[in-house]
């Protein structure tokens, strides 16, 4: 309603950026693909269950009991073929997509929370504290992240799983999902190793912001240090943070796939695109579709995410717009 | 300049020791140990094992002994391969990783730089869009998908290259291509962005204004500033490539350091983990130092304090 009564409407940074993003054809393509992917993953398994009467992760092909189960190539009945156990691969890919996309979202949120707080505190405090905190980041950079993930998984895995992770897993998958809570633990572990660059990005932003007048004004009016950091400084540094977060999503998804490829990530009966591709690699010479469909689905998603990330960067940073 | 290099070189040692300390803490934090298997050991045997490996001492003493060994660059014997020394393992497996890694990075540099420069010069042309989409593809296709697909096309169908095993030039082609894809994509994108920014800067206008040929402007002035992002990327990238990349080593059965490291982590083989992490961190810091030094040659405005 207010839009009609105001003759001239100012555009906010975000509206402006959104407009610029929509002008970028590749980014729009990416957004559409991602939208389709999310919807397919959300409602796909339910539709499959409704049309075939089987749960998404098990649709028997026409293999009788006692017959040698072989993987069938793509057909009308099984658009992506079937896997080694005769399960419909499309259903598995949709099911795996849930976990793969969830890795992208949850791990990125974790890395966002840790990285932004860490970088903002280091940048605002400055001096010795900043120096020590950033040297610690340098040290973590030099330690292969896979070591940290494995240690986190073994420290907090199995019986030591924190209750809130079990609670989250139950929220998504129903009660009694010991396997699912291990997957959620993996999400958090991946988030906890992906915040380093985010912390550097945020620190750089805060360093350039903290000497501006609005910070001085906030301090003069008695806002607490934490209040200044999180209510005044961080919102002003959000642009680069969002851009970097969209680029973190594909990178954590790749890390999850890589861990699943090594057999350390998502384990049966659960699947992710990475674990499906890892299964497919074993049979590449005989059943190539087992690798190609999960691999291509994942590549397409990452491709779109990267385009959206690039588009966001151009949209939120008008300086690079001319490129 | 010299004092800058010396200061940075001196910093490598305490940083590497800190990295080792954090790694040691991490390894010790995780429950279980290298000798714990499916069966629980009788307490007497466990006590004997602990005594043999010095695990019965106070943790501070264990830490001190470990650090002393690291400072002498003697990483000790592997716990899982008792007849093999950690230094020996690194010496044996590093050359494989290094060969594949260096070749992959050279290939990535050659193609990535060319594509990036041409794309920047012909901005918004078909080549620009084509090569950048291709680069995006390189960033998006996981290498454990790319590798097996290359194998199934070029080895199992066309019989052009061997599918696995390390030996001779032909066996290197597929792993090097697989490994270089993502780096090539990064370098092409960084080069394009860097060149676009530099070619608009004032000193390029000056160079043009004083009548230099376009070729000189591009190669002598533009390129030096434009590839700075690529140079910054090279330090960590080359270090991680040299340390071995697990996926390519697994897919192509190359006996490199990456797989050894993963195995050592899974085996809780503490000396081997610490040895490889120390080696890797020193490598990263030396490459970063080399990168920082080369900035001065590329951009005369950069000074060392």
């Amino acid at each position: 309603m207010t839009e009609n009564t105001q003759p001239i409407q100012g555009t906010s940074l975000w509206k402006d950026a959104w407009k610029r993003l929509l002008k970028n054809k590749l980014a729009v393509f990416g957004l559409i693909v991602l939208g389709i992917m999310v919807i397919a993953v959300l409602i796909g398994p339910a539709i499959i269950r409704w049309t075939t009467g089987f749960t998404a992760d098990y649709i028997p092909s026409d293999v009788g009991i006692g017959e040698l189960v072989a993987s069938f190539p793509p057909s009308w009945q099984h658009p992506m073929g079937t896997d080694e156990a005769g399960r419909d691969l499309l259903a598995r890919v949709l099911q795996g997509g849930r976990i793969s996309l969830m890795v992208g979202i949850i791990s990125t949120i974790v890395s966002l929370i840790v990285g932004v707080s860490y970088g903002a505190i280091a940048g605002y405090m400055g001096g010795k504290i900043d120096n020590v905190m950033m040297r610690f980041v340098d040290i973590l950079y030099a330690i292969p992240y896979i070591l940290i993930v494995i240690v986190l998984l073994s420290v907090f895995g199995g019986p030591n799983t924190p209750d809130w992770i079990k609670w989250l897993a139950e929220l998504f998958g129903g009660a009694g999902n010991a396997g699912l809570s291990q997957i959620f633990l993996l999400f958090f572990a991946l988030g906890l190793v992906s915040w380093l660059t985010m912390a550097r990005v945020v620190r750089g932003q805060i360093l350039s912001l903290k000497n501006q007048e609005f910070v001085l004004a906030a301090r003069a009016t008695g806002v607490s240090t934490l209040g200044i950091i999180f209510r005044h400084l961080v919102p002003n540094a959000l642009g680069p943070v969002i851009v970097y977060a969209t680029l973190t999503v594909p990178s954590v998804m790749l890390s999850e796939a890589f861990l699943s490829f090594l057999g350390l990530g998502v384990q049966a009966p659960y699947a992710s695109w990475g674990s499906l591709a890892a299964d497919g690699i074993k049979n590449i010479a005989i059943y190539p579709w087992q690798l190609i469909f999960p691999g291509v689905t994942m590549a397409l998603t990452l491709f779109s995410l990267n385009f959206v990330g690039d588009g966001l960067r151009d949209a939120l940073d008008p300086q690079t717009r001319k490129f | 300049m010299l004092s800058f290099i010396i200061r940075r070189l001196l910093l490598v040692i305490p940083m590497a020791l800190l990295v080792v300390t954090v790694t040691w803490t991490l390894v010790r934090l995780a429950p279980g140990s290298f000798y714990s298997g499916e069966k629980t050991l009788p307490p007497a045997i466990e006590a004997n094992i602990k005594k043999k490996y010095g695990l019965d001492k106070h943790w501070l003493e264990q830490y001190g002994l470990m650090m002393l060994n690291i400072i002498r660059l003697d990483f000790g014997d592997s716990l899982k391969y008792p007849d093999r020394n950690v230094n020996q393992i690194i010496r044996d497996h590093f050359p494989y990783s290094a060969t594949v890694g260096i070749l992959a990075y050279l290939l990535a540099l050659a193609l990535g730089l060319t594509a990036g420069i041409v794309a920047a010069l012909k901005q918004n042309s078909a080549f620009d869009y084509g090569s950048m989409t291709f680069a995006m593809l390189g960033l998006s296709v996981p290498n454990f998908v790319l590798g097996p697909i290359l194998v199934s096309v070029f080895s199992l169908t066309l019989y052009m290259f061997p599918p696995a095993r390390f030996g001779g030039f032909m066996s290197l082609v597929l792993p090097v291509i697989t490994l270089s894809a993502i780096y090539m994509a990064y370098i092409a994108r960084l080069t394009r962005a860097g060149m676009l920014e530099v070619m608009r800067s004032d000193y390029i206008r000056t160079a043009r204004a004083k009548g230099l040929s376009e070729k000189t402007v591009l190669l002598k002035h533009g390129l030096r500033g434009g590839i700075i992002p690529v140079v910054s990327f090279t330090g960590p990238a080359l270090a991680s490539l040299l340390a071995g990349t697990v996926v390519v080593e697994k897919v192509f059965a190359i006996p490199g350091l990456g797989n050894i490291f993963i195995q050592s982590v899974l085996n809780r083989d503490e000396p081997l983990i610490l040895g490889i992490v120390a080696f890797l961190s020193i490598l990263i810091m030396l490459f970063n130092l080399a990168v920082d030094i080369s900035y001065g040659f590329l951009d005369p405005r950069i000074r060392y304090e």
Side-chain angles (χ1 to χ4, degrees):
Chain A
M1 284 306 266
T2 48
E3 282 156 66
N4 297 333
T5 51
Q6 272 179 345
I8 302 165
Q9 229 219 323
T11 44
S12 70
L13 167 77
W14 301 104
K15 259 193 188 156
D16 216 27
W18 178 245
K19 254 198 220 152
R20 278 199 291 267
L21 186 67
L22 289 185
K23 273 193 201 142
N24 185 334
K25 279 184 203 124
L26 290 170
V28 172
F29 162 81
L31 279 176
I32 293 172
V33 172
L34 285 180
I36 295 173
M37 201 67 84
V38 169
I39 293 170
V41 159
L42 282 181
I43 64 170
I47 292 181
I48 287 175
R49 179 160 200 181
W50 180 61
T51 49
T52 61
F54 292 103
T55 53
D57 54 352
Y58 187 74
I59 298 173
S61 42
D62 311 320
V63 189
I65 295 169
E67 268 181 76
L68 268 178
V69 177
S71 182
F72 293 106
S75 62
W76 282 112
Q77 198 190 353
H78 301 292
M80 290 187 178
T82 63
D83 72 359
E84 244 178 336
R87 290 175 290 192
D88 180 60
L89 201 56
L90 174 64
R92 300 278 292 162
V93 167
L94 287 174
Q95 196 81 345
R98 289 186 168 188
I99 286 179
S100 284
L101 290 179
M102 241 166 6
V103 172
I105 296 165
I106 297 181
S107 304
T108 304
I109 292 175
V110 173
S111 84
L112 208 63
I113 294 171
V114 179
V116 169
S117 326
Y118 196 93
I121 291 172
Y124 185 74
M125 294 299 181
K128 275 213 178 75
I129 297 179
D130 177 35
N131 216 339
V132 169
M133 284 176 88
M134 292 328 277
R135 289 299 80 73
F136 183 63
V137 169
D138 290 346
I139 291 169
L140 286 187
Y141 258 114
I143 298 175
Y145 78 95
I146 190 150
L147 173 70
I148 305 177
V149 169
I150 291 174
V151 169
L152 283 173
L153 288 181
S154 59
V155 170
F156 295 109
N160 302 329
T161 313
D163 283 337
W164 54 273
I165 286 187
K166 287 183 191 156
W167 178 81
L168 264 178
E170 273 176 27
L171 198 71
F172 280 92
N177 263 314
L180 202 58
S181 66
Q182 295 312 296
I183 292 174
F184 270 80
L185 186 63
L186 177 71
F187 297 168
F188 282 94
L190 277 174
L192 287 178
V193 293
S194 318
W195 57 272
L196 300 175
T197 312
M198 180 72 81
R200 282 192 175 166
V201 170
V202 174
R203 174 180 169 269
Q205 286 290 310
I206 300 293
L207 278 182
S208 68
L209 284 170
K210 71 172 182 184
N211 291 323
Q212 289 187 14
E213 279 85 358
F214 71 91
V215 181
L216 193 65
R219 209 178 299 154
T221 48
V223 181
S224 69
T225 307
L226 283 179
I228 291 177
I229 294 178
F230 289 103
R231 300 259 338 249
H232 295 268
L233 284 171
V234 167
N236 279 296
L238 225 49
V241 169
I242 289 179
V243 171
Y244 192 71
T246 39
L247 298 174
T248 307
V249 177
S251 96
V252 287
M253 284 172 70
L254 270 178
S255 303
E256 180 275 324
F258 167 65
L259 284 171
S260 295
F261 169 80
L262 291 179
L264 302 170
V266 174
Q267 317 257 335
Y270 299 95
S272 71
W273 290 335
S275 74
L276 289 172
D279 290 341
I281 289 167
K282 292 179 205 137
N283 306 321
I284 176 93
I286 325 162
Y287 313 128
W289 56 89
Q290 286 186 9
L291 169 66
I292 288 171
F293 285 108
V296 167
T297 314
M298 179 167 191
L300 186 66
T301 310
L302 296 175
F303 195 59
S304 312
L305 276 166
N306 281 325
F307 271 135
V308 173
D310 264 21
L312 268 177
R313 189 191 53 209
D314 295 349
L316 282 170
D317 186 359
Q319 298 231 301
T320 59
R321 214 187 330 166
K322 56 185 181 239
F323 304 143
Chain B
M1 177 80 169
L2 195 67
S3 75
F4 167 80
I5 296 176
I6 291 172
R7 231 168 338 118
R8 284 285 299 269
L9 277 178
L10 286 179
L11 204 64
V12 167
I13 300 162
M15 281 296 275
L17 291 181
L18 277 174
V19 168
V20 168
T21 305
V22 174
T23 311
W24 183 81
T25 318
L26 279 171
V27 174
R28 286 295 168 99
L29 270 180
S33 62
F34 71 95
Y35 57 79
S36 61
E38 315 220 311
K39 274 194 294 188
T40 38
L41 292 171
I45 294 179
E46 194 179 335
N48 270 339
I49 291 180
K50 278 193 165 169
K51 199 166 179 197
K52 184 182 173 198
Y53 291 101
L55 294 171
D56 52 347
K57 297 189 180 104
H58 189 261
W59 64 268
L60 210 60
E61 197 184 342
Q62 292 184 41
Y63 172 74
L65 286 172
M66 184 270 298
M67 278 313 226
L68 255 160
N69 284 338
I70 299 267
I71 290 169
R72 286 181 306 186
L73 286 180
D74 169 23
F75 298 118
D77 292 336
S78 156
L79 300 175
K80 276 283 165 174
Y81 318 102
D83 51 339
R84 292 181 75 192
N85 187 280
V86 172
N87 298 38
Q88 190 62 43
I89 293 178
I90 295 178
R91 251 201 310 276
D92 283 349
H93 294 276
F94 179 63
Y96 295 105
S97 309
T99 313
V100 180
I102 290 174
L103 285 176
Y105 203 73
L106 288 179
L107 178 70
L109 267 184
L111 292 180
L113 278 178
T114 320
I117 292 170
V118 177
L121 292 183
K122 306 203 161 140
Q123 200 192 344
N124 299 330
S125 67
F127 181 85
D128 184 16
Y129 286 123
S131 60
M132 283 306 119
T133 310
F134 200 68
M136 202 60 113
L137 216 56
L139 289 185
S140 307
V141 179
N143 49 8
F144 58 82
V145 174
L146 180 64
I149 288 179
L150 288 179
V151 168
S152 73
V153 174
F154 291 103
S155 317
L156 304 178
T157 316
L158 297 173
Y159 304 110
M160 282 168 74
F161 304 105
R165 290 274 172 243
F166 195 91
F169 175 76
M170 291 306 261
S171 71
L172 282 172
V173 176
L174 291 183
V176 165
I177 292 176
T178 309
L179 196 53
S180 72
I182 192 160
Y183 294 93
M184 204 185 291
Y186 261 115
I187 292 172
R189 285 159 55 88
L190 288 171
T191 312
R192 177 178 177 274
M195 287 303 281
L196 279 177
E197 196 161 332
V198 163
M199 292 312 273
R200 282 178 175 78
S201 62
D202 293 336
Y203 73 86
I204 293 294
R205 196 177 311 134
T206 312
R208 283 209 179 107
K210 69 181 183 187
L212 294 179
S213 73
E214 195 57 32
K215 201 175 135 197
T216 320
V217 171
L218 177 70
L219 294 180
K220 277 203 75 175
H221 297 266
L223 199 55
R224 279 172 77 174
I227 63 167
I228 282 187
V230 177
V231 173
S232 331
F233 173 69
T234 297
L238 205 54
S240 71
L241 271 174
L242 288 186
T245 29
V246 187
V247 171
V248 172
E249 284 171 18
K250 260 199 172 355
V251 171
F252 294 99
I254 295 168
L257 211 52
N259 256 326
I260 298 282
F261 179 69
I262 297 290
Q263 273 314 314
S264 74
V265 173
L266 294 178
N267 289 339
R268 313 296 297 293
D269 194 342
E270 198 178 291
L272 193 50
I273 298 176
L274 293 178
I276 295 178
V277 167
F279 178 70
L280 185 70
S281 62
I282 292 173
L283 217 57
I284 292 179
M285 282 183 271
L286 289 182
F287 278 117
N288 279 337
L289 176 61
V291 165
D292 285 348
I293 294 170
S294 65
Y295 285 147
F297 293 105
L298 290 168
D299 187 344
R301 289 170 298 185
I302 294 177
R303 290 267 172 274
Y304 304 103
E305 26 167 332

